[in-house]
Amino acid sequence: MSEKEISLAVIKRLPRYYRYLGELMEKDVVRISSKELSEKMQVTASQIRQDLNNFGGFGQQGYGYNVEHLYTEIGKILGLDKRYNIIIIGAGNLGQALANYTDFEKRGFILKGIFDVNPILIGLSIRGTEIRLMGELEEFIKSNNIDIAVLTIPKHNAPKVAADLVNWGVHAFWNFAPCDLNLPKDIIVENVHLSESIMRLSYDLKTLKEQPN
Amino acid sequence: MSEKEISLAVIKRLPRYYRYLGELMEKDVVRISSKELSEKMQVTASQIRQDLNNFGGFGQQGYGYNVEHLYTEIGKILGLDKRYNIIIIGAGNLGQALANYTDFEKRGFILKGIFDVNPILIGLSIRGTEIRLMGELEEFIKSNNIDIAVLTIPKHNAPKVAADLVNWGVHAFWNFAPCDLNLPKDIIVENVHLSESIMRLSYDLKTLKEQPN
DNA sequence: TAGATTGTTAATCGATTAACAATC
DNA sequence: TAGATTGTTAATCGATTAACAATC
């Protein structure tokens, strides 16, 4: 019995709801109506109610939503109550920056290892996680039950490395390499394409300068 | 005479077209039809033609598109032929990673300065750009004609710092802080919310595990 | 010229917004 | 109970896809 498919547009909004609800909790706000939340977030109240009702009725007529309850429920929908083992491939600047990224643990992602081709980096530790040589990768993945690989390597070998990782049992990627990985479609890939982001910024700037009104 | 507004969905696809055309150029491909490109990119040919025709007719009936010409034209649409001065605010791991990010120059963004509150970092240089104290910021922006600020600072002071920057003349932001900046609406903000990205990945993983088919 | 493929209009599909009955 | 606000259906809007005449 497959439930109705949730649209990608809805999924992409959930983390933002989650963030706002977290901020409300910090301010000790107990309840909020879709109308109040919509004003804060600059979306329509209708959209909030539609989005949430894809997953169930979390509110109460005449009252609104309990902030803490809704926060917890969205967390569950996003799978933030689960634990996953991750590795970082590529210990360059970005790889090291992400290794220091404490949000991983907050979201249930446990950093198990960091790998690089450069022998100079080997043995160095980031927040208690040692950098290892790529040669150890296959053995490490198999013995550490790795779910997710973060790819912070150059684009020229990213698809090849990703294909190897899939063969060794990794089934999800957080990909920072500026390319498509072309993996089987049962493999999950979340891309962070900084160069595409910077081009959108460039477009907006150009457009602003052209229409000075 | 205001031209018809281009939808955000179209803009977001342009950088990906640009990337694929770049790859085709590297392979010395001279021409490509919307059909061939659509197969490579896993979109419909119709969508490619519709998207491009928002900006003009870049193809030729019976022939397709000249790869190099289309690449150049999309580059112009994205404003990649322009030059903008940028600064990085926050010289932590991520700020330093971005300072080393060579795509900036490729896209016409010139790194003029890096700023941090931590005096320990002052004087240190990254790819020839010196790290400066936040106190110098106002003077620096005014005398260096800064267009864009990259924000890699903690969320608790990001909106305040951004508001100051706007007052001093910055009108565009590449924001890595996990918060909304709440700036006037003529200010351009391109957000990179890594924590939202990681939550989408978490959702996909959870969904995969629930439906093992 | 004939074949191919664009540019563009029309049809479809999906997502957002509006409205309101249900109900706390 | 009366007022408020949800959950949900219906209406609208916009984006994607299909189709085909124009034309290289």
Side-chain angles (χ1 to χ4, degrees):
Chain A
M1 178 171 39
S2 87
E3 290 152 36
K4 66 181 174 301
E5 191 71 29
I6 308 293
S7 90
L8 185 61
V10 174
I11 303 306
K12 290 214 242 176
R13 283 192 291 267
L14 290 180
R16 187 149 177 270
Y17 293 139
Y18 191 75
R19 173 157 60 84
Y20 270 83
L21 289 163
E23 286 171 12
L24 288 168
M25 278 169 68
E26 279 172 18
K27 289 180 199 147
D28 296 314
V29 176
V30 173
R31 65 162 283 276
I32 194 156
S33 69
S34 57
K35 178 143 184 295
E36 286 172 283
L37 188 57
S38 76
E39 282 157 8
K40 271 187 197 298
M41 294 188 62
Q42 314 255 52
V43 295
T44 64
S46 210
Q47 181 163 76
I48 294 174
R49 295 203 300 278
Q50 285 276 23
D51 283 352
L52 297 178
N53 276 89
N54 280 297
F55 305 97
F58 301 124
Q60 201 168 18
Q61 283 96 330
Y63 173 82
Y65 300 87
N66 176 283
V67 173
E68 197 165 344
H69 176 243
L70 188 53
Y71 180 84
T72 308
E73 289 301 320
I74 295 180
K76 280 190 214 161
I77 293 165
L78 289 169
L80 304 179
D81 53 340
K82 304 276 191 300
R83 292 287 168 272
Y84 298 108
N85 293 330
I86 73 172
I87 51 174
I88 294 175
I89 314 291
N93 284 288
L94 187 55
Q96 294 197 25
L98 293 174
N100 279 289
Y101 188 58
T102 53
D103 264 30
F104 277 137
E105 283 129 69
K106 270 202 297 198
R107 304 317 178 202
F109 291 19
I110 319 293
L111 180 59
K112 288 289 190 172
I114 309 170
F115 292 83
D116 204 286
V117 287
N118 187 351
I120 298 256
L121 297 163
I122 307 312
L124 206 140
S125 274
I126 301 174
R127 290 170 56 83
T129 307
E130 204 183 321
I131 301 180
R132 292 181 165 81
L133 261 181
M134 291 293 278
E136 295 179 44
L137 203 40
E138 179 171 5
E139 170 57 25
F140 189 91
I141 288 168
K142 290 175 175 172
S143 54
N144 284 274
N145 198 19
I146 301 301
D147 298 290
I148 307 171
V150 180
L151 296 188
T152 51
I153 54 179
K155 72 173 171 193
H156 68 267
N157 53 3
K160 162 77 174 109
V161 169
D164 284 343
L165 290 164
V166 167
N167 285 332
W168 299 334
V170 172
H171 46 265
F173 291 86
W174 204 24
N175 177 41
F176 288 78
C179 60
D180 293 337
L181 297 180
N182 299 314
L183 300 172
K185 66 176 165 19
D186 59 321
I187 302 298
I188 291 160
V189 180
E190 170 73 20
N191 289 301
V192 179
H193 286 332
L194 294 180
S195 89
E196 296 187 8
S197 177
I198 213 174
M199 288 190 234
R200 288 195 293 272
L201 179 56
S202 176
Y203 174 86
D204 287 344
L205 264 162
K206 189 206 94 176
T207 308
L208 180 79
K209 301 246 159 158
E210 278 170 0
Q211 317 178 335
N213 53 5
Chain B
M1 175 169 45
S2 87
E3 291 150 36
K4 65 181 177 301
E5 191 72 31
I6 309 293
S7 89
L8 185 61
V10 174
I11 304 305
K12 290 215 242 178
R13 283 192 292 266
L14 291 181
R16 188 149 175 268
Y17 294 140
Y18 191 74
R19 173 157 60 83
Y20 269 83
L21 290 163
E23 287 171 12
L24 289 168
M25 278 169 68
E26 280 174 19
K27 290 181 198 145
D28 296 315
V29 176
V30 173
R31 64 162 284 276
I32 194 157
S33 69
S34 58
K35 181 147 182 293
E36 285 172 285
L37 188 58
S38 75
E39 283 157 6
K40 270 187 199 297
M41 294 186 61
Q42 313 256 52
V43 296
T44 63
S46 209
Q47 182 164 76
I48 293 176
R49 295 203 299 278
Q50 284 277 24
D51 283 353
L52 297 178
N53 276 89
N54 281 297
F55 304 97
F58 301 124
Q60 201 169 18
Q61 283 97 333
Y63 172 84
Y65 300 87
N66 177 283
V67 173
E68 197 165 345
H69 177 243
L70 187 54
Y71 179 84
T72 309
E73 289 301 320
I74 295 180
K76 280 190 214 160
I77 293 165
L78 289 169
L80 304 180
D81 53 341
K82 303 276 192 299
R83 294 286 168 274
Y84 298 108
N85 293 330
I86 73 172
I87 50 175
I88 293 175
I89 314 291
N93 285 288
L94 187 55
Q96 294 199 24
L98 292 174
N100 279 289
Y101 188 57
T102 53
D103 264 31
F104 277 137
E105 283 128 69
K106 271 202 296 198
R107 305 315 179 203
F109 290 18
I110 319 292
L111 180 59
K112 289 289 194 174
I114 309 170
F115 293 83
D116 204 287
V117 287
N118 187 350
I120 298 257
L121 297 163
I122 308 312
L124 206 139
S125 273
I126 301 174
R127 289 169 56 83
T129 306
E130 203 185 321
I131 301 180
R132 293 180 163 81
L133 260 180
M134 291 293 277
E136 296 179 44
L137 204 40
E138 178 170 7
E139 170 57 24
F140 189 90
I141 288 167
K142 289 177 176 170
S143 53
N144 284 274
N145 197 19
I146 301 300
D147 298 291
I148 308 172
V150 181
L151 296 189
T152 50
I153 54 180
K155 71 173 172 193
H156 67 267
N157 52 4
K160 162 77 174 108
V161 168
D164 285 343
L165 289 165
V166 167
N167 285 333
W168 300 333
V170 172
H171 46 266
F173 292 86
W174 203 25
N175 177 42
F176 288 78
C179 61
D180 295 336
L181 297 179
N182 298 316
L183 301 172
K185 66 176 164 18
D186 60 320
I187 302 297
I188 292 161
V189 180
E190 170 74 19
N191 289 300
V192 179
H193 286 333
L194 293 181
S195 90
E196 296 187 7
S197 176
I198 214 174
M199 287 190 234
R200 287 194 294 272
L201 179 56
S202 176
Y203 174 85
D204 287 343
L205 264 163
K206 187 206 94 178
T207 307
L208 179 81
K209 302 245 160 158
E210 277 171 359
Q211 318 179 334
N213 55 3

